[in-house]
Coordinates of all heavy atoms in Angstrom, one line a residue:
I10 N -251.8 118.6 43.8 CA -252.7 119.6 43.1 C -254.0 118.8 42.9 O -255.1 119.5 43.1 CB -252.1 120.1 41.8 CG1 -250.7 120.7 42.1 CG2 -253.1 121.0 41.1 CD1 -250.6 121.7 43.2
I13 N -256.3 118.6 45.9 CA -257.1 119.9 46.1 C -258.2 120.1 45.1 O -259.3 120.3 45.5 CB -256.1 121.2 46.1 CG1 -255.1 121.0 47.2 CG2 -256.8 122.4 46.1 CD1 -253.7 122.0 46.9
L14 N -257.8 120.0 43.9 CA -258.9 120.2 42.8 C -260.0 119.2 42.9 O -261.1 119.5 42.4 CB -258.1 120.2 41.5 CG -257.2 121.3 41.2 CD1 -256.5 121.1 39.8 CD2 -257.9 122.7 41.2
L40 N -245.5 124.3 39.0 CA -245.9 123.0 38.5 C -245.1 122.7 37.3 O -244.8 123.7 36.5 CB -247.4 123.0 38.2 CG -248.4 123.2 39.2 CD1 -249.8 123.2 38.6 CD2 -248.4 122.1 40.3
K61 N -265.7 122.1 34.0 CA -265.1 122.0 35.4 C -263.7 121.6 35.3 O -262.8 122.1 36.0 CB -265.9 120.9 36.2 CG -267.2 121.4 36.8 CD -267.8 120.4 37.8 CE -269.1 120.9 38.3 NZ -269.7 120.0 39.3
A62 N -263.4 120.8 34.3 CA -262.0 120.4 34.1 C -261.2 121.5 33.6 O -260.1 121.8 34.1 CB -261.9 119.2 33.0
M63 N -261.8 122.4 32.8 CA -261.0 123.6 32.3 C -260.9 124.6 33.4 O -259.9 125.2 33.6 CB -261.8 124.3 31.1 CG -261.0 125.3 30.5 SD -259.4 124.8 29.8 CE -259.9 123.7 28.5
Q64 N -261.9 124.6 34.3 CA -261.7 125.5 35.5 C -260.6 125.0 36.4 O -259.9 125.9 36.9 CB -263.0 125.7 36.3 CG -263.0 126.7 37.4 CD -262.7 128.1 36.8 OE1 -263.3 128.5 35.9 NE2 -261.7 128.7 37.4
C65 N -260.3 123.8 36.5 CA -259.2 123.2 37.2 C -257.9 123.7 36.6 O -256.9 124.1 37.4 CB -259.3 121.8 37.3 SG -260.6 121.0 38.3
V66 N -257.8 123.7 35.4 CA -256.6 124.2 34.6 C -256.4 125.6 34.8 O -255.4 126.0 35.2 CB -256.7 123.8 33.1 CG1 -255.6 124.5 32.3 CG2 -256.7 122.4 32.9
I67 N -257.4 126.4 34.7 CA -257.5 127.8 34.9 C -256.9 128.2 36.3 O -256.0 129.0 36.6 CB -258.7 128.6 34.6 CG1 -259.0 128.5 33.1 CG2 -258.8 130.0 35.1 CD1 -260.4 128.8 32.7
T68 N -257.5 127.5 37.4 CA -257.1 127.7 38.7 C -255.6 127.4 38.9 O -254.8 128.1 39.5 CB -258.0 126.8 39.7 OG1 -259.3 127.2 39.5 CG2 -257.5 127.0 41.1
S69 N -255.2 126.3 38.4 CA -253.8 125.8 38.5 C -252.8 126.9 37.8 O -251.8 127.2 38.4 CB -253.6 124.5 37.7 OG -254.4 123.5 38.4
V70 N -253.2 127.4 36.6 CA -252.3 128.3 36.0 C -252.3 129.6 36.7 O -251.3 130.4 36.6 CB -252.7 128.4 34.5 CG1 -252.0 129.5 33.8 CG2 -252.5 127.1 33.8
S71 N -253.4 130.0 37.4 CA -253.4 131.3 38.0 C -252.6 131.2 39.4 O -252.2 132.2 39.8 CB -254.9 131.7 38.3 OG -255.5 130.8 39.2
L72 N -252.5 130.1 40.0 CA -251.8 130.0 41.3 C -250.3 129.6 41.2 O -249.7 129.9 42.1 CB -252.5 129.0 42.2 CG -254.0 129.4 42.7 CD1 -254.6 128.3 43.4 CD2 -253.9 130.6 43.5
F73 N -250.0 128.9 40.1 CA -248.7 128.3 40.0 C -247.9 128.8 38.7 O -248.6 129.0 37.7 CB -248.7 126.8 39.9 CG -249.4 126.2 41.2 CD1 -250.8 125.9 41.2 CD2 -248.6 125.8 42.2 CE1 -251.3 125.4 42.4 CE2 -249.1 125.3 43.3 CZ -250.5 125.1 43.5

Side-chain angles (χ1 to χ4, degrees):
I10 305 313
I13 297 165
L14 295 172
L40 296 176
K61 283 186 181 179
M63 190 56 68
Q64 188 56 51
C65 289
V66 169
I67 291 166
T68 298
S69 299
V70 171
S71 68
L72 291 175
F73 298 89

